Amino acid sequence: MRRVFGYIWGTVAVLVLWWALGAAVDSPALPTPDATIPVLIDNAASITPDFFTSFWRILASMLIGTALGAPIGLILGRSQRADRIIEPILYILYPIPKIVFLPVIFVFFGLGGEGKIVIISIAVLFQMVVSMRDAARSIPESAMMAVRSLGASRLQTFTNVVLPATLPALFTALRVTTGTAVAILFIAESMAGSTGLGYYIMHSWSLLEYTRMFAGIVAMAIMGVIIYEAFYLAERRLNKA
């Protein structure tokens, strides 16, 4: 209940700030909530397909990026030899904004959904590699030795020590990456293609339909909150298990 009240309070605060800013600017380019929300409701039928298209692209990208990046990070965190080989590559590639590779991705995968999923997956993968490597590296060696002294195999050690110890870092990385993934998706959808919320927002902007544009922005914000909250609830359920 406390989290529900937090969301209610946060929504009210954002709406009040949004209304105050819109009233102060007094420009069609920044419509107030009372002008935007009715448009969002009226255009729900046209926004819904784009909402679910973007939603699917985010979920698929985060699943692919996590499935590839998390195991690599765990291996690097527990193997000094592998880390010495891969770490210099991470130093060079990790700071580069992955969105700069979007034109190249579009050349190889086309302007459809596949290219957008690939570029987001790459961003998620790097975040997962770094986060999980650091989490695995921080596991006390005494905990590992204690389990091994009882005759545990490598698989048992991983299942009973490494995985539980790194799960919080995994979900933290997922929540942090959600914002990055949504931002990359918006840029990718606004640059190419004719589906998704990014396209919907930029198409509305090009027609100077600002209330419709902000309706798309609200829909994208709702999508981000849903994904973020889903990861939070999944983490809580796993911690209770």
Side-chain angles (χ1 to χ4, degrees):
M1 287 299 294
R2 181 179 178 183
R3 193 167 181 83
V4 173
F5 284 123
Y7 269 114
I8 293 174
W9 154 244
T11 301
V12 171
V14 168
L15 289 175
V16 169
L17 290 172
W18 177 9
W19 183 89
L21 184 59
V25 173
D26 192 22
S27 169
L30 184 58
T32 55
D34 54 310
T36 302
I37 293 175
V39 175
L40 175 62
I41 296 173
D42 292 340
N43 289 270
S46 61
I47 293 178
T48 299
D50 289 313
F51 180 92
F52 282 108
T53 297
S54 295
F55 192 80
W56 154 247
R57 287 169 178 167
I58 289 290
L59 287 184
S61 301
M62 299 196 79
L63 178 62
I64 294 170
T66 302
L68 296 175
I72 295 174
L74 292 175
I75 292 171
L76 297 181
R78 298 311 308 171
S79 172
Q80 293 183 2
R81 179 180 299 176
D83 193 48
R84 280 196 299 268
I85 297 172
I86 302 299
E87 189 175 44
I89 302 175
L90 283 177
Y91 283 156
I92 296 172
L93 294 181
Y94 181 73
I96 300 175
K98 308 308 176 289
I99 194 65
V100 301
F101 298 111
L102 187 58
V104 180
I105 297 297
F106 280 159
V107 169
F108 283 99
F109 293 93
L111 304 179
E114 294 82 1
K116 299 172 179 68
I117 291 174
V118 168
I119 190 64
I120 300 171
S121 298
I122 292 173
V124 174
L125 183 147
F126 275 91
Q127 181 66 51
M128 283 297 159
V129 169
V130 173
S131 298
M132 299 307 289
R133 183 193 67 161
D134 293 345
R137 188 184 283 177
S138 66
I139 299 175
E141 196 60 35
S142 58
M144 303 292 291
M145 294 300 297
V147 175
R148 289 170 182 166
S149 66
L150 296 175
S153 64
R154 289 189 176 183
L155 179 60
Q156 290 172 327
T157 303
F158 175 83
T159 303
N160 295 294
V161 179
V162 177
L163 190 59
T166 56
L167 268 180
L170 172 66
F171 282 101
T172 297
L174 284 170
R175 292 197 300 271
V176 170
T177 310
T178 296
T180 303
V182 172
I184 294 175
L185 178 70
F186 169 74
I187 296 172
E189 289 181 340
S190 64
M191 285 182 61
S194 58
T195 58
L197 290 174
Y199 169 79
Y200 183 94
I201 292 168
M202 294 306 294
H203 181 65
S204 300
W205 172 77
S206 67
L207 298 176
L208 303 182
E209 296 181 359
Y210 296 119
T211 51
R212 191 166 173 264
M213 177 187 74
F214 265 83
I217 293 173
V218 171
M220 183 163 275
I222 291 172
M223 181 186 70
V225 170
I226 290 173
I227 296 172
Y228 185 95
E229 188 66 16
F231 289 139
Y232 170 80
L233 293 175
E235 182 181 15
R236 286 195 62 184
R237 176 158 294 190
L238 284 173
N239 286 337
K240 290 181 179 179

PDB file of all heavy atoms in Angstrom, residues 70-80 82-83 129 132-139 141 162:
ATOM      1  N   ALA A  70      24.267 -11.175 -18.789  1.00  0.00           N
ATOM      2  CA  ALA A  70      24.406 -11.611 -17.400  1.00  0.00           C
ATOM      3  C   ALA A  70      25.375 -12.782 -17.246  1.00  0.00           C
ATOM      4  O   ALA A  70      26.270 -12.740 -16.386  1.00  0.00           O
ATOM      5  CB  ALA A  70      23.027 -11.954 -16.816  1.00  0.00           C
ATOM      6  N   PRO A  71      25.263 -13.848 -18.054  1.00  0.00           N
ATOM      7  CA  PRO A  71      26.235 -14.951 -17.915  1.00  0.00           C
ATOM      8  C   PRO A  71      27.672 -14.514 -18.201  1.00  0.00           C
ATOM      9  O   PRO A  71      28.601 -14.957 -17.516  1.00  0.00           O
ATOM     10  CB  PRO A  71      25.762 -15.976 -18.954  1.00  0.00           C
ATOM     11  CG  PRO A  71      24.326 -15.658 -19.181  1.00  0.00           C
ATOM     12  CD  PRO A  71      24.219 -14.175 -19.035  1.00  0.00           C
ATOM     13  N   ILE A  72      27.850 -13.652 -19.205  1.00  0.00           N
ATOM     14  CA  ILE A  72      29.198 -13.165 -19.503  1.00  0.00           C
ATOM     15  C   ILE A  72      29.759 -12.401 -18.308  1.00  0.00           C
ATOM     16  O   ILE A  72      30.925 -12.570 -17.921  1.00  0.00           O
ATOM     17  CB  ILE A  72      29.184 -12.267 -20.755  1.00  0.00           C
ATOM     18  CG1 ILE A  72      28.799 -13.085 -21.989  1.00  0.00           C
ATOM     19  CG2 ILE A  72      30.557 -11.606 -20.960  1.00  0.00           C
ATOM     20  CD1 ILE A  72      28.614 -12.255 -23.244  1.00  0.00           C
ATOM     21  N   GLY A  73      28.946 -11.548 -17.708  1.00  0.00           N
ATOM     22  CA  GLY A  73      29.387 -10.794 -16.546  1.00  0.00           C
ATOM     23  C   GLY A  73      29.754 -11.682 -15.380  1.00  0.00           C
ATOM     24  O   GLY A  73      30.757 -11.440 -14.692  1.00  0.00           O
ATOM     25  N   LEU A  74      28.962 -12.725 -15.148  1.00  0.00           N
ATOM     26  CA  LEU A  74      29.258 -13.648 -14.052  1.00  0.00           C
ATOM     27  C   LEU A  74      30.572 -14.393 -14.298  1.00  0.00           C
ATOM     28  O   LEU A  74      31.361 -14.602 -13.370  1.00  0.00           O
ATOM     29  CB  LEU A  74      28.109 -14.648 -13.887  1.00  0.00           C
ATOM     30  CG  LEU A  74      26.777 -14.072 -13.379  1.00  0.00           C
ATOM     31  CD1 LEU A  74      25.700 -15.143 -13.375  1.00  0.00           C
ATOM     32  CD2 LEU A  74      26.947 -13.481 -11.980  1.00  0.00           C
ATOM     33  N   ILE A  75      30.790 -14.787 -15.532  1.00  0.00           N
ATOM     34  CA  ILE A  75      32.040 -15.487 -15.865  1.00  0.00           C
ATOM     35  C   ILE A  75      33.237 -14.570 -15.645  1.00  0.00           C
ATOM     36  O   ILE A  75      34.252 -14.969 -15.047  1.00  0.00           O
ATOM     37  CB  ILE A  75      32.000 -15.983 -17.324  1.00  0.00           C
ATOM     38  CG1 ILE A  75      30.962 -17.099 -17.467  1.00  0.00           C
ATOM     39  CG2 ILE A  75      33.380 -16.481 -17.760  1.00  0.00           C
ATOM     40  CD1 ILE A  75      30.706 -17.507 -18.911  1.00  0.00           C
ATOM     41  N   LEU A  76      33.130 -13.331 -16.103  1.00  0.00           N
ATOM     42  CA  LEU A  76      34.236 -12.387 -15.934  1.00  0.00           C
ATOM     43  C   LEU A  76      34.478 -12.083 -14.461  1.00  0.00           C
ATOM     44  O   LEU A  76      35.629 -11.896 -14.037  1.00  0.00           O
ATOM     45  CB  LEU A  76      33.935 -11.087 -16.686  1.00  0.00           C
ATOM     46  CG  LEU A  76      33.800 -11.184 -18.207  1.00  0.00           C
ATOM     47  CD1 LEU A  76      33.533  -9.817 -18.808  1.00  0.00           C
ATOM     48  CD2 LEU A  76      35.043 -11.803 -18.825  1.00  0.00           C
ATOM     49  N   GLY A  77      33.391 -12.030 -13.683  1.00  0.00           N
ATOM     50  CA  GLY A  77      33.534 -11.720 -12.267  1.00  0.00           C
ATOM     51  C   GLY A  77      34.183 -12.827 -11.463  1.00  0.00           C
ATOM     52  O   GLY A  77      34.812 -12.561 -10.426  1.00  0.00           O
ATOM     53  N   ARG A  78      34.056 -14.067 -11.946  1.00  0.00           N
ATOM     54  CA  ARG A  78      34.604 -15.201 -11.193  1.00  0.00           C
ATOM     55  C   ARG A  78      35.866 -15.784 -11.833  1.00  0.00           C
ATOM     56  O   ARG A  78      36.484 -16.679 -11.261  1.00  0.00           O
ATOM     57  CB  ARG A  78      33.548 -16.320 -11.078  1.00  0.00           C
ATOM     58  CG  ARG A  78      32.290 -15.919 -10.329  1.00  0.00           C
ATOM     59  CD  ARG A  78      32.557 -15.244  -9.008  1.00  0.00           C
ATOM     60  NE  ARG A  78      33.470 -16.007  -8.160  1.00  0.00           N
ATOM     61  CZ  ARG A  78      33.998 -15.548  -7.029  1.00  0.00           C
ATOM     62  NH1 ARG A  78      33.718 -14.309  -6.627  1.00  0.00           N
ATOM     63  NH2 ARG A  78      34.800 -16.293  -6.317  1.00  0.00           N
ATOM     64  N   SER A  79      36.241 -15.302 -13.017  1.00  0.00           N
ATOM     65  CA  SER A  79      37.434 -15.822 -13.694  1.00  0.00           C
ATOM     66  C   SER A  79      38.392 -14.670 -13.976  1.00  0.00           C
ATOM     67  O   SER A  79      38.142 -13.835 -14.846  1.00  0.00           O
ATOM     68  CB  SER A  79      37.048 -16.526 -15.009  1.00  0.00           C
ATOM     69  OG  SER A  79      38.195 -16.860 -15.752  1.00  0.00           O
ATOM     70  N   GLN A  80      39.497 -14.612 -13.254  1.00  0.00           N
ATOM     71  CA  GLN A  80      40.475 -13.547 -13.458  1.00  0.00           C
ATOM     72  C   GLN A  80      41.104 -13.632 -14.843  1.00  0.00           C
ATOM     73  O   GLN A  80      41.390 -12.603 -15.466  1.00  0.00           O
ATOM     74  CB  GLN A  80      41.554 -13.629 -12.375  1.00  0.00           C
ATOM     75  CG  GLN A  80      41.054 -13.318 -10.983  1.00  0.00           C
ATOM     76  CD  GLN A  80      42.174 -13.330  -9.957  1.00  0.00           C
ATOM     77  OE1 GLN A  80      43.339 -13.545 -10.290  1.00  0.00           O
ATOM     78  NE2 GLN A  80      41.830 -13.074  -8.699  1.00  0.00           N
ATOM     79  N   ALA A  82      39.757 -14.778 -17.706  1.00  0.00           N
ATOM     80  CA  ALA A  82      38.818 -14.251 -18.701  1.00  0.00           C
ATOM     81  C   ALA A  82      38.666 -12.740 -18.568  1.00  0.00           C
ATOM     82  O   ALA A  82      38.581 -12.021 -19.567  1.00  0.00           O
ATOM     83  CB  ALA A  82      37.458 -14.935 -18.544  1.00  0.00           C
ATOM     84  N   ASP A  83      38.666 -12.269 -17.333  1.00  0.00           N
ATOM     85  CA  ASP A  83      38.499 -10.827 -17.109  1.00  0.00           C
ATOM     86  C   ASP A  83      39.689 -10.042 -17.651  1.00  0.00           C
ATOM     87  O   ASP A  83      39.518  -8.953 -18.203  1.00  0.00           O
ATOM     88  CB  ASP A  83      38.326 -10.558 -15.613  1.00  0.00           C
ATOM     89  CG  ASP A  83      37.844  -9.147 -15.338  1.00  0.00           C
ATOM     90  OD1 ASP A  83      36.875  -8.706 -15.999  1.00  0.00           O
ATOM     91  OD2 ASP A  83      38.436  -8.459 -14.489  1.00  0.00           O
ATOM     92  N   VAL A 129      26.707  -6.916 -18.466  1.00  0.00           N
ATOM     93  CA  VAL A 129      28.062  -7.445 -18.312  1.00  0.00           C
ATOM     94  C   VAL A 129      28.793  -6.732 -17.182  1.00  0.00           C
ATOM     95  O   VAL A 129      29.372  -7.361 -16.291  1.00  0.00           O
ATOM     96  CB  VAL A 129      28.855  -7.311 -19.626  1.00  0.00           C
ATOM     97  CG1 VAL A 129      30.333  -7.609 -19.387  1.00  0.00           C
ATOM     98  CG2 VAL A 129      28.308  -8.258 -20.688  1.00  0.00           C
ATOM     99  N   MET A 132      26.885  -7.311 -13.597  1.00  0.00           N
ATOM    100  CA  MET A 132      27.007  -8.666 -13.066  1.00  0.00           C
ATOM    101  C   MET A 132      28.456  -9.029 -12.789  1.00  0.00           C
ATOM    102  O   MET A 132      28.753  -9.786 -11.861  1.00  0.00           O
ATOM    103  CB  MET A 132      26.375  -9.667 -14.038  1.00  0.00           C
ATOM    104  CG  MET A 132      24.889  -9.433 -14.269  1.00  0.00           C
ATOM    105  SD  MET A 132      23.926  -9.358 -12.739  1.00  0.00           S
ATOM    106  CE  MET A 132      23.979 -11.068 -12.222  1.00  0.00           C
ATOM    107  N   ARG A 133      29.390  -8.509 -13.574  1.00  0.00           N
ATOM    108  CA  ARG A 133      30.807  -8.748 -13.295  1.00  0.00           C
ATOM    109  C   ARG A 133      31.188  -8.171 -11.937  1.00  0.00           C
ATOM    110  O   ARG A 133      31.839  -8.831 -11.120  1.00  0.00           O
ATOM    111  CB  ARG A 133      31.677  -8.133 -14.391  1.00  0.00           C
ATOM    112  CG  ARG A 133      33.163  -8.401 -14.214  1.00  0.00           C
ATOM    113  CD  ARG A 133      34.015  -7.532 -15.101  1.00  0.00           C
ATOM    114  NE  ARG A 133      33.929  -6.122 -14.730  1.00  0.00           N
ATOM    115  CZ  ARG A 133      34.813  -5.198 -15.089  1.00  0.00           C
ATOM    116  NH1 ARG A 133      35.852  -5.530 -15.822  1.00  0.00           N
ATOM    117  NH2 ARG A 133      34.661  -3.953 -14.726  1.00  0.00           N
ATOM    118  N   ASP A 134      30.774  -6.929 -11.690  1.00  0.00           N
ATOM    119  CA  ASP A 134      31.097  -6.294 -10.411  1.00  0.00           C
ATOM    120  C   ASP A 134      30.428  -7.015  -9.251  1.00  0.00           C
ATOM    121  O   ASP A 134      31.019  -7.165  -8.171  1.00  0.00           O
ATOM    122  CB  ASP A 134      30.681  -4.828 -10.437  1.00  0.00           C
ATOM    123  CG  ASP A 134      31.509  -4.002 -11.411  1.00  0.00           C
ATOM    124  OD1 ASP A 134      32.571  -4.495 -11.851  1.00  0.00           O
ATOM    125  OD2 ASP A 134      31.095  -2.873 -11.730  1.00  0.00           O
ATOM    126  N   ALA A 135      29.175  -7.464  -9.457  1.00  0.00           N
ATOM    127  CA  ALA A 135      28.465  -8.175  -8.393  1.00  0.00           C
ATOM    128  C   ALA A 135      29.129  -9.512  -8.084  1.00  0.00           C
ATOM    129  O   ALA A 135      29.306  -9.879  -6.914  1.00  0.00           O
ATOM    130  CB  ALA A 135      27.005  -8.391  -8.798  1.00  0.00           C
ATOM    131  N   ALA A 136      29.507 -10.254  -9.116  1.00  0.00           N
ATOM    132  CA  ALA A 136      30.165 -11.549  -8.899  1.00  0.00           C
ATOM    133  C   ALA A 136      31.538 -11.379  -8.278  1.00  0.00           C
ATOM    134  O   ALA A 136      31.974 -12.189  -7.449  1.00  0.00           O
ATOM    135  CB  ALA A 136      30.275 -12.298 -10.229  1.00  0.00           C
ATOM    136  N   ARG A 137      32.228 -10.313  -8.655  1.00  0.00           N
ATOM    137  CA  ARG A 137      33.562 -10.052  -8.126  1.00  0.00           C
ATOM    138  C   ARG A 137      33.517  -9.703  -6.639  1.00  0.00           C
ATOM    139  O   ARG A 137      34.482  -9.950  -5.906  1.00  0.00           O
ATOM    140  CB  ARG A 137      34.202  -8.919  -8.929  1.00  0.00           C
ATOM    141  CG  ARG A 137      35.655  -8.667  -8.609  1.00  0.00           C
ATOM    142  CD  ARG A 137      36.161  -7.465  -9.378  1.00  0.00           C
ATOM    143  NE  ARG A 137      36.425  -7.755 -10.777  1.00  0.00           N
ATOM    144  CZ  ARG A 137      36.816  -6.846 -11.657  1.00  0.00           C
ATOM    145  NH1 ARG A 137      36.960  -5.599 -11.300  1.00  0.00           N
ATOM    146  NH2 ARG A 137      37.059  -7.203 -12.908  1.00  0.00           N
ATOM    147  N   SER A 138      32.403  -9.127  -6.184  1.00  0.00           N
ATOM    148  CA  SER A 138      32.301  -8.677  -4.789  1.00  0.00           C
ATOM    149  C   SER A 138      31.889  -9.777  -3.820  1.00  0.00           C
ATOM    150  O   SER A 138      31.821  -9.533  -2.611  1.00  0.00           O
ATOM    151  CB  SER A 138      31.302  -7.522  -4.698  1.00  0.00           C
ATOM    152  OG  SER A 138      29.984  -7.963  -5.018  1.00  0.00           O
ATOM    153  N   ILE A 139      31.611 -10.984  -4.313  1.00  0.00           N
ATOM    154  CA  ILE A 139      31.241 -12.090  -3.421  1.00  0.00           C
ATOM    155  C   ILE A 139      32.460 -12.466  -2.581  1.00  0.00           C
ATOM    156  O   ILE A 139      33.540 -12.724  -3.126  1.00  0.00           O
ATOM    157  CB  ILE A 139      30.764 -13.315  -4.231  1.00  0.00           C
ATOM    158  CG1 ILE A 139      29.518 -12.959  -5.050  1.00  0.00           C
ATOM    159  CG2 ILE A 139      30.468 -14.489  -3.302  1.00  0.00           C
ATOM    160  CD1 ILE A 139      29.066 -14.077  -5.971  1.00  0.00           C
ATOM    161  N   GLU A 141      35.297 -14.349  -0.848  1.00  0.00           N
ATOM    162  CA  GLU A 141      35.910 -15.638  -1.178  1.00  0.00           C
ATOM    163  C   GLU A 141      35.662 -16.660  -0.067  1.00  0.00           C
ATOM    164  O   GLU A 141      35.612 -17.872  -0.332  1.00  0.00           O
ATOM    165  CB  GLU A 141      37.412 -15.461  -1.397  1.00  0.00           C
ATOM    166  CG  GLU A 141      38.085 -16.621  -2.097  1.00  0.00           C
ATOM    167  CD  GLU A 141      37.511 -16.885  -3.482  1.00  0.00           C
ATOM    168  OE1 GLU A 141      37.126 -15.907  -4.159  1.00  0.00           O
ATOM    169  OE2 GLU A 141      37.458 -18.069  -3.872  1.00  0.00           O
ATOM    170  N   VAL A 162      26.641 -17.944  -5.913  1.00  0.00           N
ATOM    171  CA  VAL A 162      26.825 -16.868  -6.888  1.00  0.00           C
ATOM    172  C   VAL A 162      25.487 -16.279  -7.326  1.00  0.00           C
ATOM    173  O   VAL A 162      25.301 -15.049  -7.312  1.00  0.00           O
ATOM    174  CB  VAL A 162      27.619 -17.372  -8.112  1.00  0.00           C
ATOM    175  CG1 VAL A 162      27.733 -16.268  -9.159  1.00  0.00           C
ATOM    176  CG2 VAL A 162      28.990 -17.859  -7.687  1.00  0.00           C
TER     177      VAL A 162
END
